Amino acid sequence: MAAYKPVVVQACPKLGEKITQDTLYWRGYKEGEGGPATPVQIKEFGAVNKIDFSPVPPYNYAVTASSRIHIYGRYSQEPIKTFSRFREAAYCATYREDGRLLAAGSEDGSICLFDIGGKAPLRQFEGHTKPVHLVGFLSDKYRIFSGGDDYSSNLWDIPSATEIISYGEHTDYVRCGCASKVNADVFLTGSYDHTVKLFDARTKSSVMTIEHGHPVESVLLFPSGGLLVSAGGRYVKVWDVLKGGQLLVSLKNHHKTVTCLCLNSSGQRLLSGSLDRHVKIYSTTSYKVVHSFNYATSILSLALSPEDETLVVGMTNGVLNVKHRKPEEKNENFQKKRQPAYRTYVKGRTYMPKQEDFCVSKPVKRVLRKYDKLLRSFQSSKALDAVLEPPIMLHTPEVTVAVMQELHRRGTLRSALAGRDEKQVNLLLTFVARRVIEPRFTPVLVTVADMITDIYQPVVGQSAIVDKQFLKLQEAIGKEINYQEELLEVLGMMDTLFATFTKKTDKCLEENKSNGVTEIVGTNRNY
Amino acid sequence: MVSAGALRVVRCGGSALCGARAVYLLCASGDFVKVYSVSTEETLRLMGGHADLVTGIRLNPQNHMQLYSSSLDGTIKLWDFMDGIPIKTFTVGCRLLALYTLASAEDSVFAVIPKKGERDTFQLVSVKLTKGAGQDLEAKELSVILDGVGASMKHIAFGREDAYVVSVKDVNLQVYFFKRKLLNRFSLSTVKTKGGDNRFSCVVCHPTEDCIATGHADGKIRLWRNFHHRKEYTYSTLHWHHDIVMDLTFSIEGTRLLSGGVEAVLVQWHNESSCQKDFLPRLGSPIEYISMSSDGALCCTLHADNRITIINSNLRFSRSIQGLIKSRDVKTGLVVDPRTKALVLNGEPGHLQFYSLQTDQQLFSLDIVQRQYIHQAGLRQSDLVKVAFSAQGTWLATVEESEEVTDPELQLKLWFFSEETQSFKLNTRINTPHDNHITDMCFRDMGELGDDSLILVTTGRDCVFKVWVMVEDTDPEAQPSVSWTCDFVGSYHNYQATNCCFSEDGSLLAVSFEETVTVWDSLTWDLKCTFCHPPGNIRNICFGRLTCSKYLIGATDYGFLCCWNLLTCALEWSAYLNIVVLQPDPLSEHIAAVSWLSKESSLFVFKPNEPRPIYIQRNLCKEKILLAAFVPRDEPEVISSEKYLWLRKSQLFFLTDTQELMTLSTKSLEERLTPSSKQLAVEESLPVTPLSLLLGKHRHQQAQEDIELGKPVVHNKQEQASPAVKELLHTPAHVLPSASFLCTIFINSLLISKEKKGAEEVADEIEMESEKAEDDSDEEYVTAMEQEDTSHMELLGEMTCKLSKSQEKELRKIRKTDYSWISAF
């Protein structure tokens, strides 16, 4: 004996973006969550070319724009501190690992080293003849590497403020670089000559050269030091350093130059910002885009705070966009509330009956929806009423349609539709007129519309509201027919296009001796 | 050699009472009476002996261990159903259509027979059962009681204390009082009220009161009272059924009335009032008979789809006995599940049944449509039409469509076998995969290459064939999940696609478009070549296998069987045959073709590389064979005859248009198990009691001791000869007669008989026994099926092996000899 089978509601796969764990996570980054609901949009004096977070709490960040370096606190709208001793544009203000020193290059070729507490530079490194766009600390904290538009990449000693070594291997501007976290002697630089070079401070020349294929705008080393990410042109490429610079994967998800790269704290996600106004987030296991953000203008720089709390994006028009991650405290509260209920629920369930116990099993009560209960007892009209209630009709039209289909299958749809008053007919017609054009509902709703017209034909003209709805339905159907005709025309055009593209396979089919029907038939692929 | 496998349950005669509980369920099934155990649902006994359909079975009111059965062959048999032994056979001489027994009439039974000289008129007669010594007796003393009665068993009922008999026919009810010899006739108005049809469909009498309940074709139940008077009779009406009331039964006390009909709902009416009623809904299929056990504890319903449901007295579903479920129309074809080797076909509406051929049981029923089934005439139900399994049985594709001709509501469903739940789980549902009916469907069978090569092809009447492939879900982090999507749509000249078939290596796809067979490359989906054999549309196509894989076989509806060579693209040979079924054996290169020519089906088995068939069986059966399937054997059978070598690896099953399942077997008549050994098999299926276990252990030890002592002869003999002891030990104590009664039988059976058999004979018996033990359940099944039908056996008697029993035994001995030493050379 079978139990009552509920009506099968056709679940339709949702079109468009699929909601994954990642979408939910990244949607948690909201603009201006910290303060009142105003979005944090900070206007800088010029294009923001670098954002760097302090590696120590409270995770202030340094923003380099025009000739100034601003330091912002986490929720501050105004800079906490400003370094404005540059005559010309400043570049690439970077924190040291302990968060106490800040180094920055400048347009005139000098590199300044600031103490976070002070105003004036502690040291000034002179040696580059052209603007310095790249400054960074090696992980031993006592050396600085830099790259300039004079094609050279230099290594400096902080205490003595002297140049240790200068590498002149690049043949174009050096614009980006990064130091290895595991080895204090290793750093790499990316240049507009399409290469990324890996240097070891102990040797006189580069130890590895990687051909990116486009002017390199940004490079990044994974925390392990084994993988290298380079961005340039429209491509983001991942290389295996330990295998001698083998290309692991090439990502082409932007349609303009990728300008900046960033990893999240766990190293599971890679973020890339581009001039096409998008920030794309990749999974570093599958290298597929899991989420993307849209911004108002082209992105030049981007940074994620050490605990993934804040995402800061700098743009060409000098706007700094700050997004804070929503704290997840609410969920904990929710769980705490539920706990006792769960305990009650579990009570006694884990009891194992002894051998001599006599078990009385209680049949599991099945919960049925209201329309299912009515359908089970063959109350067609009431079942239809139940699914014509606004919450169901508006939010889950597929349920309404599924019940209509079931009634049609049972042969009772006509009687369920009949005998309704003006208000209900109005409701029904509104629903049908609105949904009949949806392809998944069309077959059922056309039948329903047919029946309604049949049943209420005699009373047409008696109610203005119902008449209006009938006209609406007619209009909707007329529109849909026109639309379908247009689509067919387009399809015809596309077919001719495809037919010209299809390569004629001039394979000589062997003549069939006994039956000579040979013909190549044009086939089209259906995606 | 041909034997019918389908069980056709005809009549259910009620469950027998043993002691205080109903233990056995007796059921007339075809030419047999079956005895089921109520607690285990197993068939305990199969009592055969009637030469035609058994029409009625009744317990002997004097002895509840005995059973009367009547058959169309004109005999009434008295059985001891506990042992399955016929006690007496009474020959009446005319067709018996129903049988009734009365407690008051000791030496006579009542039967319905056709009236002499008149067609379609039947009369109720009382048959005097003569008391004679022999087994076969004549019972020619017939006295007519009622004339013009209905032919069905349900149209006559005997009243309280056997004082009167009621018969219904059309709109007339007649009551005959035995003592007063009075006949009262009542008739309902023939005017059809409200479109209803108030003809009688069944009648029962209240067990303790003067009350008659009648069921009607319009769904009403009428309760008649005061029918002693011709005028002042009264009746009340109970109405719930919307269609014909198929059967009615009163409970033992008469307080409850059970009714059933096509709605598949068992209705229980309390105290004959229409306001108090209980329902047991959704029993699966229309109820045809309802029967109450004589202690009132259980009730069983017999359904239209060959199933018996046992129901508790508190109207709770208890269990069901089901074999091969009879479906209205087997649209899916016979498919073999590669995993369980079960036969898969339409079962209950919207379900797929997995039927184990070995055990004659339904393994499980898979709900495909997943929709509430409503039994109502004129409703367009959606049903399964196509089924296909992938090579490993991990994927199942099903197509369901509603019965509407113009706009079939098509759904293609793909099911994945989940190892955890050991059942199929719905993976993908595709609405309207084709714009018109789907005509064929097949998977690309490449088991060894894994899931990547899995492709499904469907052909439709919308003139295209579609290729479906699996795609993995794009979400990188979530659990990897697959779904199916369309990859390619192919067409040919806007002809309807009718059949599709993959070659064995999966590289070629053959699709037939009306008159033409097209061959496609399965990698690039290029059309490779076409074949046709005008005139006539292609009905079936299949590729050759193994050594014959270069051939493509096609059958046209103009009566040609063609074989094309794929290498030369030429017709290899053709034969003029009206082929209806073309079935390749998956394990060999043989192809079975069944032809239908003027009222007889013939079987041809051939290899594609030679036009001469290797086996021809004309006159396979009188019915049209619709479907066939090769079922792989668990282990290759040893077949002596060259002619039947093609049956070595797999067995061929057919389904005829009368829904009978048949198979071909090489076993000769003599090899069937003898009744005595069958009885042993029956005993094995009885529940094991602690006592029997104890005894078995003891006996086993004893046997071993005997062997050690070298005197197995006598003991073995005795063990076999004492079914009474076994019976005694297996039967629960509460159903046994008193110990004093059994004592003498028991003691006698333990005595060693004096007569001595020749050592050889005994040895034979031992061998029989050992062989039986070796035989797996497969063999048992074959015999069980063969017993279903003897007529075919006679028909084909000339084809049987002419080996005598001793010769066979010789052969078997040779087979068993260990020849492994030969391999040393």
Side-chain angles (χ1 to χ4, degrees), chain B residues 15-59:
Chain B
S15 53
L17 178 91
C18 282
R21 285 171 49 201
V23 175
Y24 296 111
L25 179 68
L26 303 168
C27 168
S29 157
D31 301 351
F32 301 91
V33 177
K34 285 192 168 183
V35 183
Y36 293 100
S37 157
V38 168
S39 50
T40 63
E41 306 155 33
E42 264 177 282
T43 315
L44 297 183
R45 263 168 207 71
L46 186 72
M47 301 191 289
H50 283 294
D52 209 336
L53 212 64
V54 178
T55 50
I57 51 173
R58 292 281 157 174
L59 289 181

Side-chain angles (χ1 to χ4, degrees), chain B residues 750-767:
Chain B
L750 288 177
L751 291 175
I752 299 161
S753 65
K754 267 186 184 171
E755 49 181 4
K756 282 193 179 168
K757 290 202 172 182
E760 209 181 72
E761 212 173 322
V762 178
D764 266 3
E765 268 185 37
I766 296 164
E767 202 186 295

Side-chain angles (χ1 to χ4, degrees), chain B residues 471-522:
Chain B
V471 284
E472 266 181 51
D473 236 352
T474 45
D475 187 8
E477 300 298 293
Q479 289 274 12
S481 63
V482 290
S483 58
W484 289 75
T485 184
C486 185
D487 182 50
F488 177 75
V489 180
S491 64
Y492 182 80
H493 281 249
N494 222 17
Y495 287 138
Q496 291 187 352
T498 49
N499 288 292
C500 61
C501 174
F502 270 106
S503 66
E504 197 188 12
D505 60 351
S507 62
L508 289 177
L509 168 71
V511 182
S512 66
F513 289 93
E514 295 185 14
E515 286 192 348
T516 317
V517 182
T518 56
V519 180
W520 305 73
D521 185 342
S522 72

Side-chain angles (χ1 to χ4, degrees), chain B residues 561-572:
Chain B
L561 181 67
C562 314
C563 175
W564 293 286
N565 191 328
L566 290 167
L567 298 178
T568 61
C569 288
L571 185 72
E572 194 83 6

Side-chain angles (χ1 to χ4, degrees), chain B residues 449-696:
Chain B
L449 284 183
D451 275 356
D452 291 341
S453 69
L454 210 59
I455 288 177
L456 178 71
V457 172
T458 54
T459 58
R461 273 194 224 157
D462 55 350
C463 307
V464 294
F465 73 90
K466 290 190 179 180
V467 180
W468 306 86
V469 293
M470 252 192 298
V471 284
E472 266 181 51
D473 236 352
T474 45
D475 187 8
E477 300 298 293
Q479 289 274 12
S481 63
V482 290
S483 58
W484 289 75
T485 184
C486 185
D487 182 50
F488 177 75
V489 180
S491 64
Y492 182 80
H493 281 249
N494 222 17
Y495 287 138
Q496 291 187 352
T498 49
N499 288 292
C500 61
C501 174
F502 270 106
S503 66
E504 197 188 12
D505 60 351
S507 62
L508 289 177
L509 168 71
V511 182
S512 66
F513 289 93
E514 295 185 14
E515 286 192 348
T516 317
V517 182
T518 56
V519 180
W520 305 73
D521 185 342
S522 72
L523 268 179
T524 56
W525 300 116
D526 282 333
L527 181 63
K528 286 289 172 199
C529 58
T530 61
F531 301 107
C532 73
H533 195 278
N537 291 346
I538 302 291
R539 198 182 267 166
N540 283 306
I541 47 168
C542 71
F543 278 98
R545 289 186 169 267
L546 304 173
T547 58
C548 304
S549 52
K550 61 177 176 178
Y551 297 103
L552 176 67
I553 319 290
T556 67
D557 59 3
Y558 217 74
F560 275 100
L561 181 67
C562 314
C563 175
W564 293 286
N565 191 328
L566 290 167
L567 298 178
T568 61
C569 288
L571 185 72
E572 194 83 6
W573 53 266
S574 71
Y576 186 68
L577 269 177
N578 183 26
I579 299 295
V580 284
V581 178
L582 194 64
Q583 186 69 36
D585 183 358
L587 298 179
S588 67
E589 51 266 88
H590 299 107
I591 294 176
V594 179
S595 76
W596 170 247
L597 263 181
S598 59
K599 294 191 178 176
E600 64 174 50
S601 295
S602 311
L603 172 71
F604 299 86
V605 179
F606 61 92
K607 280 189 186 182
N609 55 2
E610 45 192 313
R612 190 173 298 280
I614 56 168
Y615 178 76
I616 304 175
Q617 170 95 55
R618 298 214 179 263
N619 248 338
L620 194 62
C621 65
K622 288 267 179 266
E623 295 96 17
K624 188 172 180 176
I625 287 173
L626 297 178
L627 301 160
F630 273 102
V631 180
R633 291 182 199 274
D634 288 338
E635 35 193 82
E637 205 181 45
V638 178
I639 288 168
S640 47
S641 167
E642 186 100 348
K643 218 172 157 187
Y644 306 120
L645 268 181
W646 60 278
L647 274 173
R648 217 169 77 83
K649 285 184 181 162
S650 25
Q651 209 172 357
L652 188 61
F653 285 86
F654 312 102
L655 196 79
T656 64
D657 54 358
T658 51
Q659 299 254 325
E660 273 179 290
L661 188 68
M662 299 187 175
T663 185
L664 281 170
S665 151
T666 53
K667 298 255 167 15
S668 64
L669 263 172
E670 291 157 58
E671 261 188 88
R672 293 176 167 199
L673 297 181
T674 54
S676 70
S677 53
K678 189 187 78 201
Q679 193 171 327
L680 283 173
V682 164
E683 306 242 323
E684 241 71 280
S685 64
L686 271 173
V688 181
T689 60
L691 189 62
S692 73
L693 277 178
L694 196 72
L695 201 82

Side-chain angles (χ1 to χ4, degrees), chain A residues 5 409 509 512 515 517, chain B residues 371-372 409 528 530 532 569:
Chain A
K5 287 172 206 156
R409 219 172 267 138
L509 290 180
N512 209 330
N515 22 264
V517 188
Chain B
R371 221 174 261 150
Q372 187 62 34
E409 212 177 275
K528 286 289 172 199
T530 61
C532 73
C569 288

